[in-house]
Amino acid sequence: MSPAAAARLPELRQRFAALPETEVLPWHMSRQPAPTTASREEYEELVASGVAAIEAGSVYKVVSSRAVRRPLPAGFDALVAFEELQERYPNAFVSLVSAPGVGTWLGATPEVLAEITEDHVFRTMALAGTQPLMPGMKPATARWAHKDLEEHAMVARYIVNCFKQLRLREYDERGPRTVAAGQLLHLRTDFAVHLDQVPFPTLGTDMLRLLHPTPAVGGVPKQPALDFLRRHEGYDRAYYAGFLGPVNLPETGVSRLFVNLRCLQLHPSEAILYAGTGLTIDSEPAREWQETELKLRTVAAILHE
């Protein structure tokens, strides 16, 4: 959180405290109905359908997801939850967004979609492959299954293909390496373009248009994977797997956009949590269910009594 944002927290807290004691919520709620939730059996059937589509050759990878409804603890305070997420996940982009029509979303995402830094560098990343961070385990010593390596490679190749579509060859690629995000490990490859050396004033906008939705949230090829999800996933993701972040801050031209993962949406008495997993031909339904359980814990940690 920037110093400017931190300085405004007391003011925001006073505004929340000054709200009248009525049934009116202190946050905006989306008009969209609460999404359908999937049982373990239903989600594993979705995974099996995804693997079957891959075996049939209609897609190479598809990212299935599910929504979960959890009760809000008594006296839940969105600002307190926001601060707790920052403390728990100092290396994530922690966000609290509340707007009419959009609703209120809390999240702690590890994934940069596209950014342009103060020193004029465009950056993006491939972040895919997941395993739990076990006690005493070091990221550098993690071993990865073929399924995770292939899932990550598809995302990295997709980014390279986006550069090729723009006829851009001057980029740095570093990875893959293992990184920790909360209690999870992921494979990550970083990409950078130095805009002082490669003049490309529209690169950020052009790459954003090509990247979203990435294979880390949709699949490969993009359109067949999205078509599969519309037919089989069974709910509207709303802003889950979308993107958010500061634009033209702290100065014009500097922007950081993140994929909206590890997030929840607030309703009057419950939170809607979201999690997904990347499916390849080697995916096992039980393992994919467990991966969503692990990812849900990231943001669910703030829903304690």
Side-chain angles (χ1 to χ4, degrees):
M1 182 169 58
S2 70
R8 292 206 62 193
L9 273 178
E11 172 194 346
L12 292 172
R13 192 174 298 285
Q14 288 180 357
R15 289 187 180 183
F16 272 81
L19 289 171
E21 293 293 331
T22 68
E23 294 184 357
V24 177
L25 288 171
W27 58 74
H28 293 286
M29 193 182 81
S30 171
R31 301 184 186 92
Q32 181 186 37
T36 302
T37 59
S39 66
R40 176 167 185 162
E41 180 181 9
E42 290 168 334
Y43 189 72
E44 290 186 1
E45 288 178 359
L46 171 61
V47 172
S49 296
V51 174
I54 294 169
E55 291 175 339
S58 56
V59 291
Y60 300 125
K61 173 188 175 180
V62 66
V63 182
S64 59
S65 72
R66 63 187 180 100
V68 175
R69 299 167 70 171
R70 299 275 173 83
L72 289 178
F76 179 83
D77 186 319
L79 284 174
V80 171
F82 172 70
E83 291 178 324
E84 183 177 339
L85 278 177
Q86 291 185 94
E87 293 173 2
R88 284 179 174 271
Y89 309 113
N91 296 321
F93 176 72
V94 177
S95 62
L96 169 58
V97 176
S98 186
V102 172
T104 301
W105 293 73
L106 267 166
T109 177
E111 184 171 350
V112 171
L113 177 62
E115 70 173 330
I116 296 179
T117 64
E118 289 89 341
D119 53 351
H120 306 126
V121 179
F122 169 86
R123 299 185 188 278
T124 187
M125 68 170 62
L127 190 75
T130 303
Q131 64 174 290
L133 175 59
M134 306 303 292
M137 186 179 184
K138 295 181 179 180
T141 61
R143 295 184 179 182
W144 291 93
H146 178 268
K147 180 261 181 188
D148 296 296
L149 294 170
E150 181 59 21
E151 181 188 349
H152 177 269
M154 287 186 188
V155 180
R157 287 197 297 266
Y158 181 82
I159 293 173
V160 171
N161 285 334
C162 289
F163 285 140
K164 288 181 177 178
Q165 289 184 56
L166 298 176
R167 299 182 180 179
L168 180 65
R169 295 181 176 84
E170 298 84 2
Y171 60 86
D172 295 334
E173 178 178 350
R174 297 186 180 183
R177 60 190 176 94
T178 302
V179 296
Q183 297 305 306
L184 298 175
L185 295 177
H186 301 291
L187 283 167
R188 170 174 159 178
T189 298
D190 294 287
F191 296 86
V193 178
H194 297 269
L195 297 176
D196 288 337
Q197 302 171 16
V198 185
F200 203 136
T202 63
L203 181 62
T205 301
D206 292 343
M207 283 296 289
L208 180 61
R209 173 177 52 83
L210 292 172
L211 286 171
H212 180 73
T214 73
V217 298
V220 180
K222 180 187 292 188
Q223 196 56 52
L226 296 180
D227 291 342
F228 172 89
L229 294 173
R230 291 189 184 98
R231 291 194 304 269
H232 296 279
E233 201 165 53
Y235 80 102
D236 187 338
R237 292 184 179 184
Y239 291 96
Y240 165 64
F243 58 87
L244 76 171
V247 176
N248 289 328
L249 291 172
E251 60 188 62
T252 302
V254 176
S255 301
R256 301 188 73 195
L257 297 175
F258 297 79
V259 184
N260 192 28
L261 305 174
R262 315 291 193 274
C263 62
L264 62 78
Q265 181 183 179
L266 290 178
H267 279 229
S269 60
E270 66 180 2
I272 313 298
L273 287 69
Y274 303 82
T277 54
L279 309 181
T280 70
I281 200 166
D282 298 316
S283 291
E284 300 173 1
R287 183 180 185 272
E288 303 303 328
W289 167 268
Q290 186 59 38
E291 183 174 321
T292 62
E293 287 286 287
L294 291 171
K295 289 177 176 177
L296 288 167
R297 293 178 189 174
T298 298
V299 73
I302 62 171
L303 300 178
H304 53 75
E305 293 292 343

